[in-house]
Amino acid sequence: MSDDKFSAQETSFDFVWPPSVTALERITLTSPGNLQLFSVYFGKPVTVEQTWSIPASGAIESASEEHPVTKVREVNLMIEGKAVCLCISSIRMSTPHAARLFLEGKHAVDQMYRMLGRNPTFTLVNVGIDENISGMQQLWRSYKLAAEGFECEIREIFPDRRIFSGECWDKIVRRGAASLPAKFSPFTPAEPENSSNLLGASRATAIAA
């Protein structure tokens, strides 16, 4: 788990990284949200496509610290029809305002904190590199975001690690990022029954369009 330290003269981010993780990958993996980062990095618009979700646990107006409204969902971050990242989120909303923005406004997680005017606390929990069934190296992380009224546990899976080569998007696609699927989901809504299982899985399946 990460340890973010700072003083008036010094700042540091302590984390035990897998040996082969590159500097560019570390920057991405320590970003609290990826929509704006990906749009800047690739120079392309990023869209969010929900693949499935578990219904909210309660009514919007019932959200409180004592009785938070929770929701689990899975989305793909898409660039020009390619899924560059799968996000599985377990979300806890403890104010009606936050619940309304998320459930009715349908904002992405990183947009939620901007809408709420809050800077979330970021904690990187784990990072790993796996090989998917297509034989490609996929990079994943799990992390937590927390601010008053809105807290998240998130697992993100990048299906083809080569997107962090430093090349522009068009070159990545020409170079063979056909391994970036048009749809990407390791789970179905029937699996598993709780968010700890969702966030604990590390392997994923790419589903051809």
Side-chain angles (χ1 to χ4, degrees), residues 53-60 62 68-72 91 93 99 102-103:
S53 68
I54 296 174
S57 63
I60 288 174
S62 70
V69 174
T70 60
K71 185 176 178 66
V72 177
I91 299 156
M93 297 156 279
F102 186 72
L103 298 175

Side-chain angles (χ1 to χ4, degrees), residues 35 48 106-116:
L35 288 182
V48 178
K106 302 187 183 303
H107 295 286
V109 166
D110 60 333
Q111 295 170 342
M112 277 293 301
Y113 292 106
R114 296 170 68 182
M115 295 293 293
L116 292 169

Side-chain angles (χ1 to χ4, degrees), residues 162-180:
R162 293 179 299 171
I163 64 172
F164 300 112
S165 64
E167 295 178 326
C168 71
W169 177 254
D170 292 338
K171 283 187 177 180
I172 289 172
V173 172
R174 287 199 303 269
R175 195 165 57 87
S179 57
L180 291 174

Side-chain angles (χ1 to χ4, degrees), residues 150-169:
F150 196 78
E151 300 176 11
C152 308
E153 294 183 36
I154 301 172
R155 188 178 190 85
E156 292 176 343
I157 305 170
F158 305 92
D160 190 340
R161 191 181 172 196
R162 293 179 299 171
I163 64 172
F164 300 112
S165 64
E167 295 178 326
C168 71
W169 177 254

